């Protein structure tokens, strides 16, 4: 009978999908802060699979230290969502005060949350989510980074033109230094902190010991944040107003290449092949750039996309593949040294970055 044949075919398909190691497309998470949803994208077909509603306003997300859960911060909804990265299933929800930007300390002990609207910096026990300490350091805490030894957390203060250091062991505020108007993203890089000056056009470095502030490089208006490539051979910085993405030399902090990508590049994530996936904040799209080919394409998502995370689901590559590569010594959650290879067959696909080239006008790929 036709219906019986159809049922048998469906059962075979479901059984195949359930088999260990069954081929699955990689998954992209995009937080649509302007419409309170999460877009799940099939990274192979580059099509949206589904759109998951949240309470109010998701902005940032972070992988748990063990790589097992994706934590999505709904700042307007005062909630953290703990998500199964392989499927997008929400495992649990936790009430928390205005989580805007959040990061785990490199040793996994603490979760530090910057509350942009409520002017709070909160330190939570990572395992229990018990509030350990609340600071009220000033106006508009924005982004969080750590020292590799997990002793200190650094938070940019958009309203106070400042970068502030906190001691996680003594639970004290150590110092504050002026860095420029509306500082946003902050990243640890080779003993210094690199900060995007969103109210201007450049990035600065801060020496955490001497507190010396130096201009690092100019990119464009709305200089926002900077991300290390997993292989450690480049940094990538964004300018939201002038809509630029730049490749930065990790040794000299000089600009190697610049791409003009309309729509306000904001947050970035990388795939195992070295491609860059970025949210375009002003146009409701994600852009995918292959630095080796100098080509980029876009995918439509929801309004005002902000946080983004690439989850490999192929065999042999974990979602935290970047933490076993050289770039893990830089970033908002830097490690003292890259992690050793995993004992199982879980090593990342090698990534090769092309040699620097002269900047050129780029066209979107067809």
């Amino acid at each position: 009978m036709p219906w019986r044949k159809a049922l048998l075919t469906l059962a075979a398909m479901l059984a195949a999908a359930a088999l260990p190691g069954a081929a699955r497309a990689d998954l992209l998470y995009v937080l649509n802060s302007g419409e309170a949803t999460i877009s799940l994208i099939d990274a192979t077909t580059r099509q949206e699979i589904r759109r998951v509603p949240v309470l109010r306003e998701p902005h940032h997300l972070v992988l748990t230290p063990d790589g097992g859960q994706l934590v999505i911060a709904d700042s307007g909804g005062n909630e953290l969502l703990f998500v199964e990265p392989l499927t997008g299933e929400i495992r649990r929800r936790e009430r928390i005060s205005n989580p805007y930007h959040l990061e785990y300390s490199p040793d996994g002990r603490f979760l530090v949350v910057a509350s942009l609207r409520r002017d709070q910096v909160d330190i939570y026990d990572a395992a229990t989510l018990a509030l350990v300490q609340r600071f009220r350091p000033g106006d508009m805490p924005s982004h969080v980074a750590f020292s590799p030894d997990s002793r200190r957390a650094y938070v940019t203060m958009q309203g106070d033109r400042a970068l502030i250091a906190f001691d996680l062991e003594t639970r004290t505020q150590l110092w504050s230094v002026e860095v420029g108007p509306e500082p946003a993203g902050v990243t640890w890089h080779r003993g210094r902190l690199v900060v995007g000056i969103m109210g201007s056009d450049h990035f600065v470095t801060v020496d955490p010991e001497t507190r010396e502030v130096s201009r690092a490089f100019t990119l464009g208006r709305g200089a926002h944040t900077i991300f290390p490539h997993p292989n450690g051979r480049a940094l990538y910085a964004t300018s939201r107003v002038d809509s630029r993405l730049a490749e930065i030399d990790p040794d000299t902090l000089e600009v190697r290449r610049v791409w003009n990508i309309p729509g306000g590049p904001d947050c970035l994530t990388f795939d195992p092949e070295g491609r860059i996936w970025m949210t375009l904040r002003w146009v409701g799209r994600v852009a995918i750039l292959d630095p080796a080919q100098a080509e980029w394409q876009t995918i439509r998502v929801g309004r005002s996309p902000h946080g983004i995370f690439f989850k490999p689901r192929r065999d042999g590559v974990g979602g935290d593949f970047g933490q076993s590569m050289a770039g893990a010594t830089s970033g908002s959650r830097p490690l003292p040294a890259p992690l050793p290879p995993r004992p199982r067959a879980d090593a990342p696909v090698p990534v090769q970055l092309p040699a620097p080239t002269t900047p050129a006008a780029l066209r979107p790929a067809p």
Side-chain angles (χ1 to χ4, degrees):
M1 292 183 172
W3 62 268
R4 181 175 294 176
K5 183 177 180 181
L7 284 176
L8 290 173
T9 301
L10 177 60
M13 291 172 61
L14 291 173
L19 288 174
R24 288 179 293 180
D26 295 334
L27 197 60
L28 185 75
Y29 288 81
V30 181
L31 307 189
N32 303 311
S33 63
E35 65 177 44
T37 62
I38 304 165
S39 289
L40 273 65
I41 307 293
D42 182 313
T44 300
T45 65
R46 301 186 178 178
Q47 299 293 316
E48 187 173 80
I49 302 168
R50 66 182 185 272
R51 200 169 289 190
V52 180
V54 297
L55 288 178
R56 188 171 175 184
E57 194 177 10
H59 281 285
H60 293 283
L61 70 174
V62 65
L63 199 65
T64 54
D66 65 2
Q69 297 183 80
L70 188 62
V71 184
I72 296 173
D74 185 342
S75 63
N78 298 304
E79 187 174 63
L80 295 183
L81 307 176
F82 288 79
V83 175
E84 163 53 60
L86 286 170
T87 64
E89 175 190 358
I90 298 175
R91 290 181 174 177
R92 76 181 201 269
R93 299 171 182 260
E94 298 286 349
R95 297 292 293 171
I96 196 169
S97 178
N98 189 217
Y100 176 69
H101 192 264
L102 71 169
E103 285 288 351
Y104 285 96
S105 58
D107 61 9
R109 291 177 58 200
F110 300 109
L111 175 66
V112 177
V113 174
S115 172
L116 190 72
R117 291 189 180 129
R118 294 185 179 174
D119 297 337
Q120 301 166 178
V121 174
D122 290 337
I123 302 174
Y124 293 90
D125 180 275
T128 65
L129 285 185
L131 181 62
V132 174
Q133 183 72 43
R134 171 165 290 167
F135 296 95
R136 297 188 183 276
D139 191 18
M140 300 178 67
S142 181
H143 286 64
V144 181
F146 295 92
S147 58
D149 61 7
S150 297
R151 285 192 57 88
R152 295 181 179 181
Y154 304 93
V155 180
T156 51
M157 305 293 295
Q158 280 191 29
D160 289 335
R161 305 169 58 96
L163 176 70
I164 293 183
F166 300 92
D167 190 307
L168 295 179
E169 298 298 325
T170 63
R171 319 282 199 272
T172 55
Q173 181 175 321
L174 295 175
W175 49 258
S176 175
V177 62
E178 183 171 333
V179 292
E182 298 181 63
V186 54
T187 292
W188 178 278
H189 179 63
R190 301 186 182 182
R192 293 181 292 174
L193 294 149
V194 185
V195 181
I197 308 303
M198 190 168 59
S200 187
D201 61 357
H202 63 283
F203 286 71
V204 301
T205 59
V206 179
D207 186 311
E209 301 303 324
T210 66
R211 306 178 211 173
E212 179 183 0
V213 180
S214 303
R215 191 181 183 106
F217 58 90
T218 298
L219 178 56
R221 293 173 299 164
H224 191 60
T225 193
I226 186 166
F227 297 81
H229 193 284
N231 66 15
R233 295 174 60 193
L235 304 170
Y236 287 89
T238 61
S239 158
R240 291 201 310 190
V241 177
D242 282 338
S243 289
R244 294 171 183 163
L245 174 75
E247 179 187 294
I248 308 300
D249 187 293
D251 297 318
T252 65
L253 294 185
E254 294 178 349
V255 177
R256 287 174 175 168
R257 294 187 288 180
V258 176
W259 292 268
N260 294 311
I261 302 180
D266 198 316
C267 290
L268 311 180
T269 188
F270 301 88
D271 66 23
E273 285 71 42
R275 289 183 293 256
I276 306 164
W277 301 66
M278 71 199 82
T279 48
L280 302 181
R281 193 71 180 277
W282 317 132
V283 295
R285 292 180 180 272
V286 165
I288 309 103
L289 171 71
D290 184 345
Q293 302 298 323
E295 295 178 343
W296 54 276
Q297 299 174 325
T298 63
I299 303 170
R300 184 175 294 281
V301 289
R303 292 193 305 274
S304 192
H306 200 173
I308 187 170
F309 175 73
F310 189 96
K311 170 60 179 175
R313 299 197 296 180
R314 65 190 79 173
D315 290 340
V317 184
D320 55 349
F321 72 93
Q323 292 298 305
S324 63
M325 299 180 70
T329 57
S330 296
S332 55
R333 198 197 318 182
L335 299 179
L339 295 177
R342 298 176 184 273
R344 59 185 184 274
D346 195 8
V349 177
V351 177
Q352 297 295 325
L353 187 70
T357 59
T358 304
L362 299 174
R363 296 189 303 271

